[in-house]
Amino acid sequence: MDVIPAIDLLGERAVRLTQGDYDRATQYGEPVELARTFAAGGATRLHVVDLDGARAGRIRPDVVATLVDAAAPVPVQASGGVRSVADAQALIGAGADRVVVGTSAWTLLDDLVASLGESLVIAVDARDGVVRARGWTEGSLDVDEAIERCVASGVPRLLCTAIERDGTLRGPDVDLVRRVVESSGLPVLAAGGIRSGADVEALAEAGAEGAIVGRALLEGWLKLGTR
């Protein structure tokens, strides 16, 4: 199972939010330099999140294209602000090899699957059993319903984030990830609270295919190459 570095963008800086709270952001420098560092350090993929886009509902393909160039040849999956199939295709056009969709997914599932195929990842961002949207600021639907709809629509891959763990280094919600893996039968990426190799191992045992990690890599708690 791969550790996938996350680069979260707020304005022009790389940050990490604590539990998705925009008022609790820690800055980590220049996104392009981070992309180059992670790529040179052996990352097999980067996960890029436009936090401004997620909250406001707009994409920045130019920003994604810059990070894709910086990370090359390492592939980039992009997220944040996708509100239409055209938005998702614009990020593919900017060089992303996958697009992660959350907020608009539940009204566009069939169209997204038809348009993006294996390049689509649906975000199941959960807090207290409810999938959150619009930069995690609004409730959407419950986790079980979200999984059922993804399976019915033929979604190829899920990203499961435990919001209450995100950015905390408190360890992942292994039970949530196992629940999503077993209920969906789909490849699942896991995020939220990951801090150590033991956490990565626990997620692998729960069936996750990869761990998306931000703060633990940025602060040296975890190293690339951990499996």
Side-chain angles (χ1 to χ4, degrees), residues 1-85:
M1 187 175 78
D2 285 339
V3 171
I4 302 172
I7 300 176
D8 293 3
L9 309 172
L10 194 60
E12 304 301 321
R13 307 297 288 175
V15 305
R16 288 299 295 170
L17 306 184
T18 300
Q19 299 175 318
D21 188 342
Y22 282 72
D23 293 325
R24 300 166 68 191
T26 302
Q27 293 197 13
Y28 289 96
E30 168 58 44
V32 167
E33 290 305 315
L34 284 177
R36 289 172 178 158
T37 298
F38 286 138
T44 58
R45 180 178 302 277
L46 296 186
H47 177 73
V48 173
V49 185
D50 186 344
L51 295 169
D52 291 307
R55 182 166 55 176
R58 65 178 183 272
I59 58 170
R60 293 191 289 173
D62 55 331
V63 172
V64 171
T66 297
L67 293 176
V68 166
D69 287 344
V74 175
V76 171
Q77 63 183 33
S79 65
V82 176
R83 298 294 186 268
S84 67
V85 172

Side-chain angles (χ1 to χ4, degrees), residues 15 21 69 78 95 110 117 139 141 161 183 188:
V15 305
D21 188 342
D69 287 344
D110 291 340
L141 67 169
T161 301
S183 297
V188 175

Side-chain angles (χ1 to χ4, degrees), residues 126-148:
R127 175 184 280 149
D128 299 326
V130 176
V131 175
R132 308 289 293 183
R134 299 191 184 279
W136 300 350
T137 62
E138 298 178 6
S140 180
L141 67 169
D142 70 50
V143 170
D144 290 330
E145 181 183 352
I147 293 170
E148 289 174 4

Side-chain angles (χ1 to χ4, degrees), residues 82-92 99-123 149-150 153-156:
V82 176
R83 298 294 186 268
S84 67
V85 172
D87 284 345
Q89 287 291 0
L91 294 182
I92 295 293
V99 176
V100 182
V101 186
T103 296
S104 64
W106 315 113
T107 57
L108 297 172
L109 267 182
D110 291 340
D111 291 339
L112 287 165
V113 171
S115 179
L116 271 70
E118 290 296 322
S119 294
L120 175 66
V121 182
I122 296 298
R149 292 184 59 185
C150 287
S153 294
V155 169

